[in-house]
Amino acid sequence: MVLSRRGMLFGTVGLGATLGLGLTLPGGVAAASVAPPAGPFPALPPLPAGAPVRKLFSPLEQRFGPYLAILPGMVNDIEVTDPATLGYMGGGWWRTPSVPTNARVQEHVFTLSWFHANARSWNPYSGNAALLKRLDAAIAHYLNLQHADGSWPEYSVTEQSKAATGFGLGYLAKTLANLRQANALPTRRGQIGTALHQGMTWFLDPANPIWESPIHYANQNTSGLASSTRALQLNPDAAMQAKLAGRIAYLAAHGQSPAGFFYEPTGMDINYNFEVMIPELAEIYVLTGDKTVLSMASKFASWFGYNVVREPDGTGSLTYVGMSARTTVTGYDNVIPDPDRTNLGSFFVPEVPALAPFFTSAEDRAATRAEWAAASGPAPGLAKQDTSPRILAHAPYGESLPSKAAKQAAIAQLPYLASTDFAVQRRDDLTNQAYTFIRRPALYLAAFLGTRPSSEVRGSAGLLWHPAAGTLVQSQQDDTQCWASLLPNGNPDARSNLDATYQVGGRAWDGQRIVPGSAPVVVDYALPDGRIHTTLTVTPNTVTRAVQGTSALTEQVPLVLKPADTVSFSDGTPIGYGRNSAATATGLTIHRGSQAITISWGTALAASVTATAVNILSTGGRRIHVLRVPHGGTLSTVITLP
């Protein structure tokens, strides 16, 4: 009996394989497979000495340099000796788990196909036969991982992965385009076309559970829609195109919160919303001009502007990371060099200028590219795992970065800069989430209350900013670094669901945008079991947390400090940047330039400030230092801003 490579790969060789039956494996894995190429598979030669040569790259293609540097290693790590896993892209270059049954590992077939198809003075591998032979094996392995229903697996053999299928369709479509451009592998091109049709049939089916409402992990759904958009341009299909249009409309209705964010899984995530979702929507927009995705981007921009605050020194922005439901992105530098995976999203900027503050300006990007080209030595390669093929897959589209002037004009229109006095909520009643944003003349405060969409989210107040001093408090996704009251066991109230009531000037407030004037904004909330009750009061220049507990508690405040800050407890004990400090005191003062911010708790208590390893932005030295004040259970902490 001759064992098929698919049977060996999945460990399913048996009667069906022996008799040549159309065996279907658990989870819909089809035993039928495409034939892999026959050997030999010569290794890809190394790059010439001194390559990649920086000055040879055009500015828009500089991002290919770090990928070219690792191309021989990636190609030569493709399995070519074991028939059971022939074509598996080993070496741990991209996704984990790095195993032959994870379809996402194979996404770099696009990268290999681009270098084969595109002749450049700096690319010695265009038309290379060894590269093509190993690429052919990698594509065959990729196609053989597809289930009979059209989906692909990621974490387990039988998994029908929305992410692996959604993103994979795009990489295969772009691979097909590259192979057509090079007039290479005609048989494989037909097999890719068949796989794309099967994949879209699964992905665009309205009855598929991936389209539950609200859509969980909306970025993955969007990837499949962007991928299908590209695939259908290569192989038009009117019926499939109609399904795609229907799913785009459905995404707009069920994948974006009324608050403006995109569901990850049902909450906001800075990283996935801005760095993945917006570029995927932009690909649809660039290819089709679709007004639905443009509207989604505009709605998101109006939300995002409340949650990313600019530092007055112009070095970048800090995020409301404590309410991110999945990942930790604490800030964005004002200037981000290549490779920048948000680039494609810049195509929304001309129509949605409210997104301009979050992109590097065209002039600044040109400067970083000039610096890269002038740097000595060859372009360095990327580290394993940090080799996203999306950056290269989006590169051919170009970019539409704002000018410096346009960016500055858009920054001036950010909500907390365009006005000095407002209170507004963005709510999602379906998921019981309430995001409160309060601007007073001396401060800007953001808070999340309601049902946490994931275990990563920390509720209560989470971001405090001053117009001259910048960010002073930033709650993290960590029990020891969030703005909270700690129970004796160390658990913060911010890790619980905290429903709240809201008042302005002593009257109930429904969250609609208002101008408080001299009236205080009061947010009242408690743990569900009543062990901690908090009244948050915001005036034109103060934030007060009045806490009452049924046991001893600890007030915890994650301060954002800078190296040049002069900080001391009320008894004169200095608080050193990057060091731990302690004193018995009634408060502390932060001197930042000409600004003095005080935090007072009114009675002498043993307090401490602990330096953490959380650094924010690449310049300016911002670091989280956590203030903790143990108390008997009743305490009012007042932050006064100039």
Side-chain angles (χ1 to χ4, degrees):
M1 154 177 148
V2 178
L3 304 185
S4 73
R5 62 185 292 270
R6 191 177 184 94
M8 289 186 283
L9 174 62
F10 293 111
T12 55
V13 173
L15 181 62
T18 304
L19 298 179
L21 302 177
L23 178 66
T24 299
L25 307 180
V29 180
S33 62
V34 302
F41 297 93
L44 189 67
L47 285 167
V53 180
R54 294 170 183 262
K55 66 181 181 180
L56 296 179
F57 290 82
S58 68
L60 279 175
E61 290 189 346
Q62 285 180 358
R63 69 196 79 176
F64 286 90
Y67 289 83
L68 176 59
I70 64 172
L71 187 69
M74 289 177 56
V75 172
N76 292 334
D77 275 340
I78 294 173
E79 176 59 57
V80 294
T81 59
D82 182 357
T85 57
L86 183 69
Y88 159 54
M89 300 188 76
W93 289 96
W94 178 215
R95 302 289 296 196
T96 58
S98 184
V99 294
T101 54
N102 183 356
R104 299 217 62 183
V105 171
Q106 301 298 114
E107 290 172 351
H108 270 301
V109 295
F110 161 77
T111 305
L112 273 58
S113 71
W114 192 95
F115 282 104
H116 179 268
N118 289 275
R120 299 289 189 274
S121 62
W122 45 261
N123 177 18
Y125 299 118
S126 64
N128 184 281
L131 173 59
L132 184 63
K133 196 65 176 288
R134 289 183 177 236
L135 169 62
D136 192 12
I139 295 172
H141 180 77
Y142 201 171
L143 298 182
N144 282 330
L145 291 175
Q146 189 177 30
H147 298 326
D149 62 9
S151 65
W152 271 273
E154 184 172 6
Y155 296 108
S156 67
V157 174
T158 59
E159 179 191 12
Q160 297 161 298
S161 170
K162 178 169 64 170
T165 308
F167 287 104
L169 287 170
Y171 293 122
L172 283 170
K174 294 176 178 70
T175 297
L176 175 58
N178 287 331
L179 293 177
R180 285 182 179 178
Q181 176 183 320
N183 194 26
L185 306 180
T187 299
R188 198 70 76 206
R189 296 201 309 259
Q191 293 165 347
I192 292 174
T194 298
L196 289 172
H197 188 274
Q198 288 178 292
M200 287 187 290
T201 299
W202 180 83
F203 202 94
L204 300 177
D205 181 1
N208 190 325
I210 68 172
W211 297 104
E212 65 181 324
S213 180
I215 294 172
H216 290 189
Y217 305 103
N219 84 86
Q220 298 173 6
N221 294 71
T222 309
S223 74
L225 301 183
S227 297
S228 298
T229 301
R230 184 68 183 105
L232 288 171
Q233 289 187 331
L234 295 170
N235 292 332
D237 182 313
M240 201 71 76
Q241 188 69 49
K243 288 184 178 181
L244 172 61
R247 290 302 88 194
I248 291 174
Y250 188 91
L251 175 72
H254 301 274
Q256 186 169 23
S257 166
F261 59 81
F262 304 114
Y263 289 125
E264 292 290 332
T266 58
M268 160 67 167
D269 188 81
I270 296 287
N271 177 352
Y272 275 102
N273 275 203
F274 179 58
E275 299 184 38
V276 182
M277 184 83 183
I278 285 294
E280 293 298 317
L281 287 175
E283 183 169 21
I284 299 173
Y285 183 63
V286 170
L287 291 172
T288 68
D290 188 281
K291 298 299 184 183
T292 298
V293 298
L294 178 64
S295 177
M296 293 176 71
S298 179
K299 185 177 177 182
F300 170 76
S302 70
W303 152 267
F304 207 49
Y306 286 103
N307 293 280
V308 184
V309 293
R310 294 281 302 179
E311 288 295 274
D313 63 5
T315 55
S317 304
L318 272 66
T319 70
Y320 187 3
V321 64
M323 61 79 182
S324 278
R326 296 186 64 186
T327 59
T328 301
V329 173
T330 57
Y332 287 109
D333 291 333
N334 186 54
V335 179
I336 299 173
D338 288 325
D340 176 0
R341 67 179 188 158
T342 70
N343 263 19
L344 188 57
S346 67
F347 277 100
F348 283 127
V349 169
E351 294 292 335
V352 188
L355 282 173
F358 312 112
F359 290 96
T360 299
S361 73
E363 294 92 331
D364 284 332
R365 182 58 58 77
T368 64
R369 287 171 175 160
E371 291 171 5
W372 186 90
S376 61
L382 299 169
K384 287 187 176 182
Q385 305 296 305
D386 189 21
T387 67
S388 172
R390 288 179 73 244
I391 290 170
L392 294 193
H394 288 172
Y397 291 116
E399 59 196 24
S400 184
L401 297 172
S403 68
K404 270 191 174 182
K407 179 175 177 175
Q408 285 303 125
I411 287 172
Q413 296 304 309
L414 288 168
Y416 56 90
L417 293 176
S419 173
T420 62
D421 195 7
F422 66 80
V424 66
Q425 282 187 4
R426 292 293 185 92
R427 301 187 61 90
D428 188 319
D429 293 330
L430 179 66
T431 57
N432 188 36
Q433 298 177 46
Y435 299 84
T436 302
F437 307 102
I438 303 169
R439 178 69 159 100
R440 311 311 305 272
L443 63 91
Y444 177 67
L445 180 81
F448 168 78
L449 293 152
T451 301
R452 295 187 306 145
S454 77
S455 61
E456 304 300 320
V457 173
R458 296 296 179 266
S460 185
L463 189 66
L464 178 62
W465 173 92
H466 180 270
T471 306
L472 297 160
V473 182
Q474 186 191 46
S475 195
Q476 307 294 304
Q477 302 164 306
D478 185 281
D479 287 352
T480 64
Q481 298 169 3
C482 60
W483 199 354
S485 292
L486 304 182
L487 291 162
N489 62 4
N491 289 340
D493 61 347
R495 202 176 70 189
S496 178
N497 297 332
L498 300 169
D499 287 325
T501 60
Y502 308 88
Q503 292 185 342
V504 177
R507 303 180 66 178
W509 173 48
D510 63 2
Q512 296 298 309
R513 187 183 178 96
I514 59 170
V515 177
S518 61
V521 179
V522 180
V523 182
D524 201 72
Y525 59 92
L527 282 176
D529 61 11
R531 283 185 292 170
I532 303 176
H533 179 274
T534 304
T535 300
L536 181 70
T537 304
V538 184
T539 74
N541 72 323
T542 65
V543 175
T544 301
R545 277 175 44 95
V547 176
Q548 289 185 321
T550 59
S551 65
L553 301 171
T554 297
E555 179 75 0
Q556 179 172 275
V557 188
L559 303 172
V560 179
L561 299 183
K562 301 174 70 174
D565 291 345
T566 301
V567 190
S568 60
F569 286 109
S570 60
D571 71 341
T573 301
I575 300 172
Y577 176 88
R579 298 195 298 273
N580 299 338
S581 309
T584 298
T586 60
L588 61 78
T589 301
I590 302 170
H591 290 275
R592 181 171 295 171
S594 62
Q595 308 299 317
I597 299 94
T598 63
I599 303 177
S600 173
W601 45 90
T603 186
L605 295 170
S608 66
V609 172
T610 303
T612 75
V614 179
N615 292 295
I616 309 162
L617 303 183
S618 62
T619 58
R622 295 164 183 81
R623 184 189 292 193
I624 297 295
H625 295 66
V626 181
L627 167 66
R628 295 187 182 90
V629 185
H631 59 91
T634 300
L635 190 73
S636 287
T637 304
V638 183
I639 303 177
T640 303
L641 301 103

